[in-house]
Amino acid sequence: MPPTAATSALTPSRAAVADRVIGALAGPGATLRDDQVTAVAALCEPRARVLVVQATGWGKSAVYWAATAIRRDEGAGTTLVVSPLLSLMRDQVAAAARAGLRAETLNSSNVEEWSRIEEALRAGDVDVLLVSPERLANPGFGRRVLDALAGRIGLLVVDEAHAVSDWGHDFRPDYRRVSDVLQRLNPDTPVLATTATANARVTEDVAAQLRSGGSGEPGEETLVLRGPLARSSLELSVVDRLSPLERYAWVVDHLPTLPGSGIVYALTVADAHRLTAAVRAVHGDAVPVAAYTGQLEAAERERLEDALRDNRVKALVATSALGMGYDKPDLGFVVHVGAPPSPVSYYQQVGRAGRAIDHAHAVLLPSGADDGVWDYFATATIPVPAQVERLLEAMADATVDAPATVVALEAETGLRRGRVELMLKQLAVDGVTERVERGWVRTGAAWSYDQEHYDGVVGVRRREADIMRAYTRGARCLMQLLQESLDDPQAAPCGRCSVCRGTLPDGLAEAPQPETVRAVATVLRGEDHVLEPRKMWPGGAFGTRGRIAPDRAVEPGRALVHADAPEWREAVREMFDRDAPAPQEVLDACVQVLARWKADWRSRPEIAVALPAAGFAALTGSIADHLATVGRLDRAELATDVGRSAQEVRDLTSSDEAALWRDAVSVPGEAASAVAGRTVLLVVDASASQWPITVVGAALRAAGAAAVLPLLVHRRV
């Protein structure tokens, strides 16, 4: 096939291969865009470094399929694609097959195929290998696969490359392992990085990392290809001034009439599940939806992705776990219940919609409650020096033969497991820790906190939150504002968004129906939130570590209010504004919780005990008194002397907090006699850690209680 005009930058033979690939992917007669041709032509040359920053749907993957096909025809080795999500990998394997390439992936969902794939890699039979950044950090993978490919990789592709930079909206420490791969490459191996969501600072940082090969030393110049980021198919809208509960009801009202199928994004896992329950309760099977979060097993996530792709569900109610890489070209809408903390991450998520259709809705339902989530995300990945020192001290005796495990470090330091895992990965990026076969060890390198750098990162994230506030206020054209946040020089008013039009599109209402709000509140207040008991003592200042003995453990409990539950927002504000008896709606709801819970009791509670863990004695006591009256329970009182404010307690480590409750609360003789041999209903006002429940529950068991059933009014996060 002779080269087209668009492929004149390629030699005739290379252009023929590129035309064949793009025709297989996009249909007969399709040709590469000029920038695609430029990128492919560059990647055909030794030592090339190319960064493509283009809008979603532009065809970034076509660049590396065409370049791979050309290089494989010319005898180059396997292309290694570092990709963030299993959903993207599955899509890419299928796309590669259409392009006439053999692609394989090594991930947690296909372990049984690893041996076959690795053998094919060693034989040179695999054109493309897709792996996650987490796989790069796995020592076994490095030994078996990367060592075998060392010097033989034909092309390295870093997809969603903004995640390499901690200036980006989705920084992942494991992505920095790409630099290790760069160091092990044949110097002639070309490298391609792609993203749709990189502003000028992130672009500069990623380009520099590609240029230096991860070594920090100057190297080949990076060719940066940036294009306009406006999406003409997206109609952006903001529906403001809704309460958290009204936002749920708005979604319930509108899902049946929104075009096609789509994604409803929620900021937290709890929100995704609660909103899913509300839609199902009101619409049943008429509007099929499912919750999609990072907590799902890989097989279930794959099943739900396919269900949305095949239009077997109206929507997935998802956290940001469904984001980068998911490809459904005809996705008709993306609705956000709560604004993401960054305009860049928002652009990335709404970019899932309208790729192959002329019109798609992107609707944001903001709330003042979002600010707390933004504040959390601004600092969530920033290391805390005192915590890092505590972690490194706990690893002092770890060796390759006896490495420190995440579980052991969690117990030793009192830090949450997710925080331990994040810090270990960040320290590995800095060369201070290293992951080995059965855990983690220190390398001996010193660690220092780069105050200036991290202050800059936090500052950038807070400025991005300010941009999102401007977006929710409709300060100016919504698409223009998103383009400007990505430093797009072609940013201009779109003429389509709700700001440019001065009104919402037809079919979108400013507020939900009042009866829907009431129905959603009723549904959500009727949900049960199981409080799983802690299983392990924290060690450290508490002294005791290891599994909690059965004769000291509490039973699975219940929480009335989970996190920032929208159905209880006003009641929570009222209850915890000052210490006073609980409002009647809360007393009634607690009775209803017990009525539903009793089916799971091994024995009915016989005595109620109040524990004001957050300092709200009147609130806690009134609930315990009411339940005792309604349920004909006895009452007993604890002896409590905390001596610290609730905020001071929340700032403690796990071991310090557990030790505080052990020393601050006791079961006096009269109470001990009252609980002996009986099942106790332990009423607690609020807690994030559950240590007051765990420690005081153990004290009640030690005093002779046959069982302890915790009822937590507000499960904080």
Side-chain angles (χ1 to χ4, degrees), residues 398-409:
T399 65
V400 173
D401 294 329
T405 66
V406 171
V407 173
L409 291 171

Side-chain angles (χ1 to χ4, degrees), residues 238 240 366 466-476 478 499:
V238 174
D240 201 2
D466 288 338
I467 295 173
M468 286 309 301
R469 292 185 182 93
Y471 187 98
T472 62
R473 292 194 309 269
R476 59 185 182 280
L478 302 178
V499 172

Side-chain angles (χ1 to χ4, degrees), residues 229-518:
L229 300 177
R231 292 281 305 282
S232 60
S233 63
L234 288 179
E235 187 168 11
L236 303 174
S237 302
V238 174
V239 183
D240 201 2
R241 295 180 293 279
L242 299 181
S243 71
L245 185 60
E246 288 171 333
R247 295 193 299 187
Y248 277 28
W250 192 97
V251 173
V252 171
D253 275 348
H254 285 78
L255 266 185
T257 57
L258 284 169
S261 56
I263 301 171
V264 179
Y265 279 109
L267 292 183
T268 67
V269 171
D271 275 326
H273 286 290
R274 288 193 294 244
L275 182 49
T276 299
V279 175
R280 286 175 173 170
V282 174
H283 293 301
D285 294 337
V287 184
V289 296
Y292 183 106
T293 76
Q295 296 180 352
L296 295 177
E297 295 292 335
E300 178 63 6
R301 291 170 71 167
E302 181 175 326
R303 185 188 72 81
L304 292 177
E305 291 161 8
D306 288 342
L308 179 60
R309 189 176 287 109
D310 298 338
N311 298 316
R312 287 182 279 115
V313 293
K314 178 69 177 181
L316 292 182
V317 185
T319 62
S320 59
L322 182 65
M324 292 186 299
Y326 183 72
D327 186 20
K328 176 176 167 58
D330 63 343
L331 202 71
F333 61 89
V334 171
V335 176
H336 278 77
V337 180
S342 157
V344 183
S345 57
Y346 183 68
Y347 176 87
Q348 184 262 324
Q349 289 172 359
V350 298
R352 308 266 69 76
R355 292 185 172 195
I357 55 179
D358 293 335
H359 178 266
H361 282 292
V363 186
L364 174 61
L365 310 175
S367 166
D370 299 340
D371 279 12
V373 180
W374 295 346
D375 288 342
Y376 168 79
F377 282 120
T379 58
T381 61
I382 305 299
V384 178
Q387 292 180 352
V388 173
E389 296 298 341
R390 193 187 316 155
L391 182 68
L392 292 175
E393 184 178 344
M395 298 178 68
D397 297 328
T399 65
V400 173
D401 294 329
T405 66
V406 171
V407 173
L409 291 171
E410 178 189 23
E412 179 70 20
T413 63
L415 299 168
R416 292 187 177 184
R417 184 171 304 185
R419 189 69 179 172
V420 170
E421 292 174 334
L422 174 64
M423 288 196 297
L424 287 169
K425 292 175 180 179
Q426 289 176 317
L427 290 167
V429 169
D430 293 336
V432 178
T433 61
E434 180 181 5
R435 186 178 173 186
V436 293
E437 287 289 343
R438 292 179 292 112
W440 292 82
V441 296
R442 295 181 61 170
T443 64
W447 180 80
S448 61
Y449 181 70
D450 190 339
Q451 181 82 46
E452 182 178 358
H453 174 74
Y454 286 118
D455 283 351
V457 172
V458 172
V460 166
R461 291 176 183 172
R462 287 183 171 151
R463 286 193 293 276
E464 289 180 337
D466 288 338
I467 295 173
M468 286 309 301
R469 292 185 182 93
Y471 187 98
T472 62
R473 292 194 309 269
R476 59 185 182 280
C477 169
L478 302 178
M479 182 60 79
Q480 181 182 15
L481 196 151
L482 293 180
Q483 289 178 268
E484 289 173 353
S485 70
L486 286 157
D487 298 316
D488 182 355
Q490 298 187 41
C494 70
R496 300 179 306 278
C497 70
S498 60
V499 172
C500 289
R501 290 159 51 102
T503 184
L504 291 174
D506 292 342
L508 300 188
E510 294 280 358
Q513 297 296 318
E515 57 268 26
T516 308
V517 178
R518 291 191 291 270

Side-chain angles (χ1 to χ4, degrees), residues 171-183:
F171 169 62
R172 296 186 181 189
D174 282 319
Y175 245 112
R176 283 290 178 90
R177 292 287 182 168
V178 173
S179 66
D180 296 341
V181 178
L182 290 173
Q183 295 289 348

